[in-house]
Amino acid sequence: KSKITGMVIVFRDYTVKKKKQEKIEYMSYHDPLTGIYNRRYFDEIFPKIINEAKRKNELVAFVFMDIDHFKQYNDNYGHQKGDEVLINFAACLKQSLHRSSDYTFRLGGEEFAVVYQMETKEKAVEFANTLRKNIENLKIEHKYSSVSSYITASMGLICKNANEIVIDEIYKQADDLLYQAKRSGRNQVKVNED
């Protein structure tokens, strides 16, 4: 009897430790506010995604985005409402993805990224625009935006064959495109030419 009790205790201790370990791992890879993957996980998984796509000679689409006029939103509606926007924004991105090979990340503040694979660049652009429309269709009021009466996002999309991607450069390239989208009036997707 005591042998079985001892085994049960050992098993229970193991289960408790395993759950704690899983929780720590979850917390280290997920953004605490939105529940989606964080910057740390992005930095770890992104090179793996690229290398896997290189082996398969596939296209990779990387969208870097941020919420238009988010500072004005926070200043006028308050930070609690701003947090609600971030939560809903992240949930919208996550619900828009349908494949296990698609990822969404909160990279910091109001900056997000989505990594996905498509058969063609045209389809990748189409999907980025779907994301953009889905965000506006949340219809979260933003009276202080010069773009729309609702929350919107500007996006920079890099879509290339994985073999043409230089991991250290893609982030900067997507950021440059995001900046172009903002300069051209926001609530739009700018895509790499090559």
Side-chain angles (χ1 to χ4, degrees), residues 81-94:
K81 281 287 199 190
D83 284 354
E84 286 173 25
V85 167
L86 294 170
I87 291 164
N88 288 317
F89 189 96
C92 176
L93 293 179
K94 196 171 181 181

Side-chain angles (χ1 to χ4, degrees), residues 128-145:
N129 273 301
T130 298
L131 288 175
R132 187 186 58 72
K133 288 174 197 154
N134 289 352
I135 289 157
E136 193 166 12
N137 287 336
L138 288 170
K139 300 209 180 310
I140 300 170
E141 183 186 79
H142 189 349
K143 286 189 223 167
Y144 306 91
S145 169

Side-chain angles (χ1 to χ4, degrees), residues 63-154:
V63 178
F64 184 46
M65 67 185 86
D66 74 14
I67 301 171
D68 293 325
H69 301 299
F70 190 65
K71 186 187 181 312
Q72 288 86 331
Y73 188 92
N74 265 338
D75 291 349
N76 289 286
Y77 291 92
H79 287 273
Q80 194 173 346
K81 281 287 199 190
D83 284 354
E84 286 173 25
V85 167
L86 294 170
I87 291 164
N88 288 317
F89 189 96
C92 176
L93 293 179
K94 196 171 181 181
Q95 286 159 9
S96 301
L97 304 178
H98 303 294
R99 291 190 267 202
S100 60
S101 57
D102 298 341
Y103 294 87
T104 184
F105 307 88
R106 181 179 178 204
L107 298 180
E110 70 274 17
E111 294 180 338
F112 293 81
V114 176
V115 180
Y116 56 99
Q117 285 164 304
M118 285 284 168
E119 298 72 39
T120 65
K121 187 174 176 179
E122 292 71 32
K123 284 186 178 178
V125 172
E126 201 177 294
F127 182 70
N129 273 301
T130 298
L131 288 175
R132 187 186 58 72
K133 288 174 197 154
N134 289 352
I135 289 157
E136 193 166 12
N137 287 336
L138 288 170
K139 300 209 180 310
I140 300 170
E141 183 186 79
H142 189 349
K143 286 189 223 167
Y144 306 91
S145 169
S146 62
V147 190
S148 165
S149 1
Y150 303 114
I151 285 287
T152 56
S154 298

Side-chain angles (χ1 to χ4, degrees), residues 156-174:
L157 166 64
I158 298 287
C159 183
K160 292 182 176 182
N161 182 294
N163 291 297
E164 298 168 18
I165 291 174
V166 179
I167 290 171
D168 297 341
E169 292 172 12
I170 189 171
Y171 193 87
K172 167 87 173 76
Q173 292 166 343

